[in-house]
Amino acid sequence: MKNLALFILTLLVFVGCNGQDSKPKSINIKPKNNRKMELATIGGGCFWCVESCFNMLKGVESVTSGYSGGHKDNPTYEEVCTGETGHAEVVQIKFDPSIISFSKLLEVFWFLHNPTTLNRQGNDIGTQYRSVIFYHSEQQKQDAEISLKNSEAKQEWEGKYVTEIVPFEKFWAAETYHQGYYNANPTQPYCSAVVGPKIQKFKKHFGALDMLKSE
């Protein structure tokens, strides 16, 4: 009897393991976030001034301060400040074009600096402070050219624009202490006198347009 009972139990287990209930069940796996991010690389004077502002925009994932447009690999801040490396201080912006377009970023760009002063922003003088757009695609080039003409036609700044529109080649991230510099050093003299007022003006203008992330 024990053997018969054991045989019947084994048979039931076998049928259960190979029956309909044993078929693999579908598992609902959420798809990965496949947002297509893009890059924008622009220079509008001291990168401390513009990094914080671009970071506040909806659709912007990250902003990195750095150097582009020069002839020296891995330049240091001190080397760039001499104006001899050919680099401009820039920010590289990683953004979601489904939320904010490249053209919208350029509207912010024109707002944040004076594109009519050659190699100068305020008291910051030198080629490293030049107004420049390093385009990553032909579409960005076209958008930049159109945006410049539109801003100039609206006379958002008085005078002829001197902004360079050139192809992107390389980007070198600036030293760690430059990243998020204003947030870490708001009372530093330059930050309190120059960066802070610019940020307040930016927040007032683009906050009214509902383009800023919620704080």
Side-chain angles (χ1 to χ4, degrees), residues 34-41 59-64 91-105 134-141 143 168:
N34 290 322
R35 292 183 304 160
K36 184 179 179 181
M37 307 300 286
E38 294 185 11
L39 292 176
T41 306
V60 170
E61 182 173 285
S62 64
V63 184
T64 306
V91 290
Q92 188 163 89
I93 305 161
K94 187 177 182 181
F95 68 100
D96 184 344
S98 69
I99 299 175
I100 186 168
S101 66
F102 180 63
S103 294
K104 278 293 181 184
L105 291 176
F134 293 98
Y135 59 85
H136 289 255
S137 66
E138 283 301 310
Q139 186 61 57
Q140 282 196 356
K141 178 184 179 182
D143 290 345
F168 172 80

Side-chain angles (χ1 to χ4, degrees), residues 182-197:
Y182 174 78
N183 291 337
N185 305 276
T187 60
Q188 191 260 17
Y190 183 90
C191 288
S192 59
V194 179
V195 185

Side-chain angles (χ1 to χ4, degrees), residues 48-173:
W48 295 348
C49 293
V50 294
E51 182 203 52
S52 294
C53 293
F54 277 107
N55 257 323
M56 296 180 194
L57 294 171
K58 293 178 181 178
V60 170
E61 182 173 285
S62 64
V63 184
T64 306
S65 292
Y67 318 110
S68 279
H71 52 76
K72 187 180 189 304
D73 290 348
N74 295 307
T76 65
Y77 179 66
E78 290 72 20
E79 290 172 332
V80 172
C81 283
T82 67
E84 296 177 0
T85 69
H87 290 285
E89 288 192 16
V90 301
V91 290
Q92 188 163 89
I93 305 161
K94 187 177 182 181
F95 68 100
D96 184 344
S98 69
I99 299 175
I100 186 168
S101 66
F102 180 63
S103 294
K104 278 293 181 184
L105 291 176
L106 292 181
E107 289 181 21
V108 178
F109 173 65
W110 304 127
F111 182 87
L112 288 177
H113 83 297
N114 186 340
T116 70
T117 54
L118 183 63
N119 300 328
R120 178 173 185 168
Q121 289 299 309
N123 292 323
D124 295 327
I125 302 173
T127 56
Q128 67 270 29
Y129 299 116
R130 65 189 181 272
S131 176
V132 58
I133 300 169
F134 293 98
Y135 59 85
H136 289 255
S137 66
E138 283 301 310
Q139 186 61 57
Q140 282 196 356
K141 178 184 179 182
Q142 293 176 25
D143 290 345
E145 291 171 343
I146 292 171
S147 182
L148 186 155
K149 289 179 182 178
N150 288 342
S151 181
E152 198 171 38
K154 293 176 185 176
Q155 295 184 328
E156 293 178 333
W157 293 91
E158 185 177 350
K160 175 128 180 108
Y161 285 25
V162 295
T163 304
E164 298 176 6
I165 300 176
V166 294
F168 172 80
E169 293 183 359
K170 290 183 179 180
F171 170 80
W172 307 97

